[in-house]
Amino acid sequence: MTSAGGDAYITLLGRSTWALVNAYHAVLREKGLRPERVSIVTEEPYAEDASTAAEAVRIVSGRYGVLPVIEVIVLPEADFVRAGQTIRSLANDFIRQGFDVAIDITSGRKVTVAGALIAVSVAGLDLRHIYYLAMKSTDDVAKPYMMIPHQIQRIRDIMEDAGARP
């Protein structure tokens, strides 16, 4: 086993590329995460947006001096079991390589989010963070993170909120 010692970030892309990119930006800015690996997991109907999301992640990363390896994984639509298996395997591989793993569920569709969280929970994987960019309003939020008033958005770490992490 190689000990990477850095962060790996798994993000779920659903209907909103802006939600994925803004949550990623918030995690880097507000939480100080500096991932060495970023995996964008999406379903077939949203796969065409994945290259845009990957390029945006690359641009935002560069602003924070990070150059992660970015990969895109495309799943069949609404396949709860496959989503869970894929994300569990991905997280487990990162953990075995010595990475601290964060999952961002902000943009993911319910079936993918549920599949992912149930699978990693049942497997007993040690996720360091589960991020969600909470918005008080969804009016006029399809724009860059820094252009959305900070009082209507907050990056949440479900692991911290649940008392699982300091």
Side-chain angles (χ1 to χ4, degrees), residues 108-153:
R109 291 188 348 121
K110 290 179 185 88
V111 69
T112 307
V113 171
L117 296 183
I118 290 169
V120 297
S121 177
V122 167
L125 297 182
D126 182 21
L127 296 183
R128 296 305 170 113
H129 309 280
I130 300 172
Y131 291 117
Y132 178 74
L133 183 59
M135 294 286 194
K136 291 182 180 176
S137 168
T138 56
D139 296 336
D140 197 31
V141 294
K143 56 187 172 188
Y145 171 72
M146 297 302 284
M147 294 178 68
I148 302 169
H150 288 278
Q151 61 268 25
I152 72 162
Q153 62 181 330

Side-chain angles (χ1 to χ4, degrees), residues 11-154:
T11 184
L12 309 179
L13 175 61
R15 292 181 179 96
S16 175
T17 304
W18 277 116
L20 180 148
V21 175
N22 287 340
Y24 182 72
H25 194 155
V27 165
L28 269 61
R29 184 172 193 265
E30 309 296 332
K31 299 294 187 177
L33 198 77
R34 298 295 183 266
E36 295 176 26
R37 300 281 306 271
V38 174
S39 295
I40 298 170
V41 180
T42 192
E43 295 171 275
E44 287 171 352
Y46 311 101
E48 65 185 44
D49 296 330
S51 61
T52 301
E55 183 59 24
V57 164
R58 190 172 287 107
I59 290 167
V60 170
S61 297
R63 179 172 179 198
Y64 291 90
V66 182
L67 296 170
V69 173
I70 302 169
E71 69 175 329
V72 173
I73 300 165
V74 179
L75 302 171
E77 184 176 17
D79 188 337
F80 171 85
V81 173
R82 179 88 172 271
Q85 291 170 339
T86 299
I87 294 164
R88 179 188 65 227
S89 176
L90 186 60
N92 192 41
D93 287 349
F94 283 144
I95 291 167
R96 281 197 317 232
Q97 292 172 43
F99 288 103
D100 289 337
V101 178
I103 292 182
D104 173 40
I105 62 172
T106 305
S107 178
R109 291 188 348 121
K110 290 179 185 88
V111 69
T112 307
V113 171
L117 296 183
I118 290 169
V120 297
S121 177
V122 167
L125 297 182
D126 182 21
L127 296 183
R128 296 305 170 113
H129 309 280
I130 300 172
Y131 291 117
Y132 178 74
L133 183 59
M135 294 286 194
K136 291 182 180 176
S137 168
T138 56
D139 296 336
D140 197 31
V141 294
K143 56 187 172 188
Y145 171 72
M146 297 302 284
M147 294 178 68
I148 302 169
H150 288 278
Q151 61 268 25
I152 72 162
Q153 62 181 330
R154 181 170 175 221

